[in-house]
Amino acid sequence: MSPHRPVSLVLSYQYPGKYAFTVLAGAVESDPALADVKLWFPRDKDTLLATVRERVDAGDTVVAAWSFYSASFAPAVEELAYVRERLDGRSVLCIAGGVHATAEPLQTLQAGFDLVAVGEGEHSLRELLGRVQRGEDPRRTHGVAWLKDGKLEQNGRGEGVTLDDFPPFAARHSKFGAIEITRGCIYACRFCQTPFMSKARFRHRSVANVAHWARELRRAGKRDLRFITPTSMSYGTGDETMNLAAVEELLAAVREAMAPDGRVYYGTFPSEVRPEHVTPEALALLKRYVHNDNLIIGGQSGSERVLQSTRRGHDVETVVRATRLAVEGGFVPNVDFILGLPGEEASDVEATVALMERLAELGARVHGHTFMPLPGTPFRDAPPGQVDDETRRKLDRLASQGRLYGHWKHQAVLAEGIASRRRPRAG
């Protein structure tokens, strides 16, 4: 690559990759060494193509980037092919990152991407752009993979970040989002990619840092504040316990930062609550500070055996108790369930549907998902989740009563697609 040419980073800024790129754009714009890198945020394939063409023709070195989950891998590959076919010989470095690229770097590269970021991307993206600016080989970047003679080559894995070292969004480019307060998860549920992407331990953003970025949000005219965390009541801890003093310090600080007319949402998407953390004390604390009237609670199954096999770390009665307590505490519990988990038998399915119905009677709404065998998880080789006709009828009845919601039918299709693309485990 030629040095001293302007660099443009063109981000495929659409669901779900835009959430990662809101963070990664913040990492780029906050690095003084990358002050001359221009960022572009096209929201559809035609604008993406037009932006890439325009920047190349203007003399820029262009890096086009995608980030995706396993369920959105196929659409990202289709968009990449669409752009590649219409570049008319223009040279563009096409890179990919995210949980799927990390779990399946070879598959992602074989789909047509030039480089894949493996692991967390903040440090790797900064280093890669710096190398591009200087005309160096971007494959020397730590944490990237590429193909050489059809075989996978990899230069380590992107290092885990200290959250305070990076902004949670790209304020200079007016790309705002929920503030990530915790990365990684100690629970390591066998169906979830989070702990296997970001390691099975908690890393928390400090209260002072969260409050600083909350003030930035408010200064930008944003009224609502949300948080990204795999388990919201684990803030400030390194294990299964709750540190309610730390949670209160956080919520008090952000309420002050958001000013009287700001609104704080905590314990709702994307900051769910584990059922064992729903206690009278925790609910009373939330009631004092948050504006949401609902909580997202992870239940996942009504079968004790399946809860154990997935390593959820709680039993069925804990889910029931959490639902009761949430209702008594003035919240509407939205309880997540996953249908078609590996090893489920007819009796397990019946137990899950029965629990859904029981919780609905207690005042909960039930959020249905269908199991997807996600790469990088212990369940990657399991069959895709399926819902039998009788269960489907029961769920449709719950939905017609307004007690069940979710994209579980569409996820069954996505699960089949993920399973059809997976490759044999190496080794």
Side-chain angles (χ1 to χ4, degrees):
M1 289 195 167
S2 302
H4 310 306
R5 290 174 60 191
V7 175
S8 275
L9 175 63
V10 183
L11 305 166
S12 179
Y13 198 71
Q14 50 194 311
Y15 178 85
K18 69 177 185 178
Y19 300 116
F21 284 145
T22 296
V23 175
L24 291 171
V28 174
E29 73 173 27
S30 60
D31 185 348
L34 302 176
D36 293 333
V37 173
K38 291 170 280 190
L39 274 64
W40 307 88
F41 300 87
R43 293 177 178 268
D44 60 72
K45 64 181 182 182
D46 290 314
T47 310
L48 173 62
L49 174 62
T51 304
V52 168
R53 281 173 163 171
E54 177 186 295
R55 299 323 307 164
V56 174
D57 292 347
D60 291 2
T61 298
V62 174
V63 179
W66 286 259
S67 180
F68 39 82
Y69 304 136
S70 296
S72 50
F73 171 61
V77 171
E78 289 174 10
E79 185 173 89
L80 170 68
Y82 179 87
V83 171
R84 287 262 200 222
E85 290 165 4
R86 291 161 177 81
L87 286 177
D88 302 322
R90 295 172 178 87
S91 177
V92 176
L93 180 67
C94 295
I95 66 175
V99 288
H100 186 84
T102 292
E104 297 283 359
L106 178 60
Q107 181 190 67
T108 305
L109 290 163
Q110 289 175 335
F113 294 96
D114 297 311
L115 293 177
V116 161
V118 180
E120 297 178 32
E122 286 93 338
H123 289 293
S124 296
L125 183 58
R126 280 180 170 181
E127 182 185 341
L128 183 144
L129 291 172
R131 291 186 181 281
V132 171
Q133 279 185 315
R134 297 187 297 272
E136 299 173 1
D137 186 349
R139 291 174 296 183
R140 293 174 59 194
T141 302
H142 181 75
V144 304
W146 65 96
L147 291 181
K148 182 178 181 180
D149 299 325
K151 295 184 178 180
L152 181 70
E153 297 279 335
Q154 186 170 326
N155 187 11
R157 180 186 176 101
E159 62 186 278
V161 307
T162 299
L163 292 180
D164 278 13
D165 291 347
F166 292 89
F169 41 66
R172 271 181 39 212
H173 288 85
S174 298
K175 295 294 182 282
F176 297 99
I179 296 178
E180 185 180 21
I181 58 171
T182 300
R183 189 175 292 186
C185 184
I186 65 168
Y187 292 98
C189 303
R190 300 184 74 195
F191 49 77
C192 180
Q193 286 177 314
T194 296
F196 304 99
M197 168 76 174
S198 303
K199 305 301 182 185
R201 63 183 181 87
F202 292 134
R203 280 170 283 152
H204 304 296
R205 192 180 293 271
S206 71
V207 170
N209 190 269
V210 176
H212 165 76
W213 292 111
R215 286 190 290 271
E216 289 295 310
L217 265 180
R218 202 70 191 92
R219 264 196 285 271
K222 306 298 181 182
R223 186 181 173 196
D224 295 347
L225 175 60
R226 288 180 168 82
F227 304 89
I228 298 173
T229 167
T231 157
S232 61
M233 301 310 290
S234 296
Y235 182 77
T237 72
D239 55 28
E240 294 86 355
T241 63
M242 283 191 292
N243 183 346
L244 293 184
V247 176
E248 180 162 22
E249 183 186 2
L250 172 72
L251 293 177
V254 296
R255 275 297 294 268
E256 181 180 358
M258 292 300 288
D261 60 340
R263 296 182 297 198
V264 175
Y265 295 88
Y266 195 83
T268 189
F269 183 81
S271 60
E272 73 170 37
V273 182
R274 287 184 59 86
E276 68 269 30
H277 291 166
V278 180
T279 65
E281 296 80 13
L283 292 166
L285 170 58
L286 293 176
K287 203 68 178 174
R288 287 199 296 275
Y289 291 100
V290 306
H291 289 79
N292 44 294
D293 60 3
N294 67 89
L295 296 177
I296 304 292
I297 300 171
Q300 314 312 4
S301 178
S303 163
E304 301 287 9
R305 189 179 68 82
V306 170
L307 288 175
Q308 290 181 4
S309 70
T310 56
R311 298 184 184 164
R312 272 297 293 168
H314 62 78
D315 60 12
V316 170
E317 189 51 41
T318 301
V319 180
V320 176
R321 183 171 64 248
T323 300
R324 282 204 181 101
L325 287 171
V327 171
E328 292 169 3
F331 291 94
V332 176
N334 288 252
V335 186
D336 280 331
F337 284 94
I338 302 174
L339 307 158
L341 281 162
E344 266 191 352
E345 298 174 358
S347 59
D348 301 310
V349 178
E350 291 171 6
T352 294
V353 174
L355 181 58
M356 288 177 165
E357 294 170 339
R358 182 182 178 189
L359 299 185
E361 290 172 1
L362 292 173
R365 295 184 73 216
V366 177
H367 190 193
H369 305 265
T370 298
F371 167 73
M372 293 187 280
L374 298 173
T377 71
F379 281 162
R380 73 178 293 275
D381 297 316
Q386 295 181 333
V387 182
D388 63 83
D389 290 342
E390 177 59 28
T391 301
R392 185 179 289 258
R393 281 192 289 273
K394 292 178 180 177
L395 297 177
D396 284 341
R397 186 165 60 248
L398 273 175
S400 70
Q401 298 167 350
R403 296 178 171 183
L404 169 69
Y405 68 103
H407 300 293
W408 57 276
K409 290 181 180 179
H410 180 54
Q411 287 167 348
V413 178
L414 294 176
E416 292 283 354
I418 290 170
S420 71
R421 291 189 295 270
R422 66 186 166 203
R423 297 162 185 269
R425 197 187 293 271

